[in-house]
Every structure is written in structure tokens, then in C-alpha cells.
Amino acid sequence: MDSVLVQEEFDFPLDMLTIRNYVEKILKSLNIDKEIPDIKEKDFNYLSQEG
């Protein structure tokens, strides 16, 4: 099994779309044909602990 070097920094939970985009990039680089659901930042609103 080959490993993939992570070169991104993620700001949890403020930048959840970055994670999705990074996973999509890894899948493409490994020629894995999987479609990741199209999500928007508002889909993660329930994670917020503000007010």
C-alpha cells in the first residue's frame, strides 16, 4: 500500500470544504473513480458552537 503525503492544513471546523476538496484531489491522483457529494459550507452549520 502506498502512502499519500498530506500537505494541507485544516482549520476544524471552520474550513470543512477544504477537507472535501483535498480528498477529491487525492482520489483523482490515485485514479479512484468515486464521486464525493456536493456540499456547501452551510451544511456544516450545526457544528458551530457559537450563540
Side-chain angles (χ1 to χ4, degrees), residues 20 23-37:
R20 180 212 179 272
V23 170
E24 188 173 60
K25 185 167 59 171
I26 291 173
L27 291 175
K28 285 182 182 179
S29 71
L30 297 174
N31 293 322
I32 298 174
D33 187 25
K34 290 284 184 184
E35 186 172 325
I36 299 176

